[in-house]
Amino acid sequence: MLPYGSYYEPNTPAEQPGSTGEPEGLPVGSDATHIGYGGARYLEQHWPVAGHPTPGPGSTLPIFRAPELPPELPAEAPARVRDEDPPTIELGPPISEEDLHRLAQLPPLGDPGPVGPLYVVGDVHGYLEELIGALHQQGLVDPDGHWTAGRARVWFLGDFTDRGPDGIGVIDLVMQLAAEAAAAGGYCRALMGNHELLFLGAHRYGDEPVQSTAGTASFRAAWLLNGGQQHDLERLQGHHVSWLKRLPAMALEDGHLLLHSDTTAYLEFGDSIAEVNDAVHDLLADEGADEWWDAFRRFTKRFAFRGPGGPMAAGELLSTYGGHRVVHGHSPIPYLTGEANSDSGEPPYVPGPYIYADELAVAMDGGVTMEGRLLVARLPVD
């Protein structure tokens, strides 16, 4: 495995306009790509429906019967007595215009009411215990990892597996929270990261050769070099694969454009969020190993919003897809701030999300794999 801070696919130029390939604050001789640290369903609710009970086997629905005649009435009593109608129900006065106006002001049936607060979760990379701890600290789950946040909304920004000890456990937890949140009136959703593409590629294509800028490679080789854990691949099941392949690449929530990667490569897949997501899903459904590899390579680019050209790059994404601020994972905050290159020998200090690019971008990868933090934050952040 390559040391943390290096990604084995070389010779991909940095995305900064006018970049020399060595972004500020990075080790000498490394380009923006090398510095990249790594290259269920919902529960169904069946609500009881008010109404008549369904008769069981051999039973019949109740019917109205004429009242029994008193003994003193002869059998030839008049038909109006024998077949007397059942009592009627008083309907009350007609509904007035005032009543109609008042009814119109009532919320529609099934209106869920106001939405809950919005949270985002940075890169997890298999650190299940740290994830549960960070979610619990924000009041989103109990100590055992079960949803306690009611109508809150949570978005994971991708990269669930690789490098850490329990990637499949992380995926299982996110799928579980999606079901529990839905049952409580909130939701828990997730984006596809570049490591999801890499993990799926290792599962589907294994050692099949692909054409990369480094020459012939394979998904499995790249996955192992970038932190792939064999026990995760062995525990991967069909429902995990189906769930991962359906993850969106981007989303817009409360004016926040949610992405995994700090790259403008999304623009190469479509001019709207729906087009980008459809393009990625279509690729994963139909295309071959080389096309999958190309998508992985594009979404592994980084640092588009750093440096003098960063605000312009972030602004281009926002003007195309909407929103007023980009929120992303992928690039660890210590690399964006330059602290990863410190010679102090101390773990990087990550106080929280990192706002940069003239406040147009928020980074959420706290560098949990490099002794940083696994970040969970409520939006908006100041």
Side-chain angles (χ1 to χ4, degrees):
M1 182 187 301
L2 293 181
Y4 187 91
S6 56
Y7 169 61
Y8 95 107
E9 169 99 358
N11 303 324
T12 304
E15 292 189 55
Q16 294 294 337
S19 171
T20 62
E22 296 185 359
E24 178 184 355
L26 305 183
V28 176
S30 300
D31 63 26
T33 302
H34 278 84
I35 285 301
Y37 74 105
R41 293 168 101 177
Y42 282 54
L43 291 177
E44 297 178 358
Q45 300 181 46
H46 298 281
W47 300 100
V49 178
H52 295 293
T54 302
S59 64
T60 59
L61 287 173
I63 60 173
F64 284 113
R65 298 186 181 276
E68 294 185 8
L69 296 176
E72 63 272 14
L73 287 177
E76 61 272 11
R80 64 178 180 81
V81 177
R82 293 197 310 269
D83 302 326
E84 183 179 349
D85 290 338
T88 59
I89 299 174
E90 178 61 46
L91 297 179
I95 296 178
S96 66
E97 290 188 8
E98 182 179 348
D99 292 329
L100 291 174
H101 178 74
R102 178 177 54 81
L103 291 172
Q105 309 308 311
L106 296 176
L109 292 176
D111 183 6
V115 297
L118 175 64
Y119 293 81
V120 287
V121 184
D123 300 35
V124 182
H125 284 298
Y127 284 83
L128 178 60
E129 291 185 6
E130 288 79 357
L131 173 60
I132 293 175
L135 293 171
H136 179 56
Q137 187 176 28
Q138 289 285 353
L140 299 173
V141 303
D142 65 21
D144 295 323
H146 293 286
W147 184 264
T148 58
R151 299 185 54 78
R153 298 165 293 157
V154 174
W155 274 95
F156 284 78
L157 299 181
D159 278 8
F160 304 117
T161 65
D162 306 338
R163 303 192 183 282
D166 194 358
I168 294 298
V170 170
I171 293 173
D172 284 335
L173 176 66
V174 178
M175 295 176 70
Q176 167 204 309
L177 293 178
E180 293 176 349
Y187 61 72
C188 175
R189 299 173 181 170
L191 297 179
M192 180 178 295
N194 64 309
H195 276 260
E196 277 67 64
L197 286 168
L198 185 59
F199 189 36
L200 289 170
H203 166 71
R204 176 165 177 174
Y205 294 110
D207 294 320
E208 180 178 333
V210 294
Q211 294 300 318
S212 74
T213 57
T216 301
S218 73
F219 267 105
R220 177 174 171 80
W223 175 68
L224 290 172
L225 283 168
N226 289 282
Q229 304 294 310
Q230 183 62 35
H231 59 266
D232 281 341
L233 194 60
E234 292 170 355
R235 294 163 59 204
L236 182 66
Q237 299 180 36
H239 67 279
H240 298 131
V241 173
S242 298
W243 184 79
L244 289 169
K245 290 176 69 173
R246 289 196 299 266
L247 296 178
M250 60 194 318
L252 184 65
E253 288 279 357
D254 295 355
H256 298 89
L257 183 61
L258 307 181
L259 315 169
H260 172 70
S261 304
D262 47 328
T263 177
T264 57
Y266 295 90
L267 296 167
E268 302 168 22
F269 289 84
D271 295 329
S272 70
I273 292 175
E275 286 183 9
V276 172
N277 290 335
D278 287 346
V280 173
H281 292 158
D282 290 346
L283 183 148
L284 294 180
D286 300 323
E287 301 297 339
D290 286 335
E291 288 77 13
W292 278 45
W293 181 265
D294 185 62
F296 163 67
R297 181 184 62 81
R298 292 172 190 268
F299 287 125
T300 301
K301 296 178 181 179
R302 62 181 77 245
F303 298 135
F305 313 136
R306 200 177 82 160
M312 182 180 297
E316 185 178 9
L317 286 178
L318 293 170
S319 64
T320 301
Y321 302 119
H324 61 265
R325 181 179 268 181
V326 175
V327 181
H328 69 86
H330 190 48
S331 291
I333 291 171
Y335 282 125
L336 292 169
T337 62
E339 188 176 348
N341 304 314
S342 171
D343 296 327
S344 66
E346 297 292 326
Y349 175 61
V350 181
Y354 177 55
I355 304 173
Y356 68 116
D358 291 349
E359 299 191 355
L360 293 178
V362 178
M364 282 294 301
D365 184 351
V368 65
T369 62
M370 53 190 299
E371 299 183 271
R373 289 179 60 191
L374 200 163
L375 293 179
V376 178
R378 180 173 175 174
L379 296 180
V381 294
D382 299 323

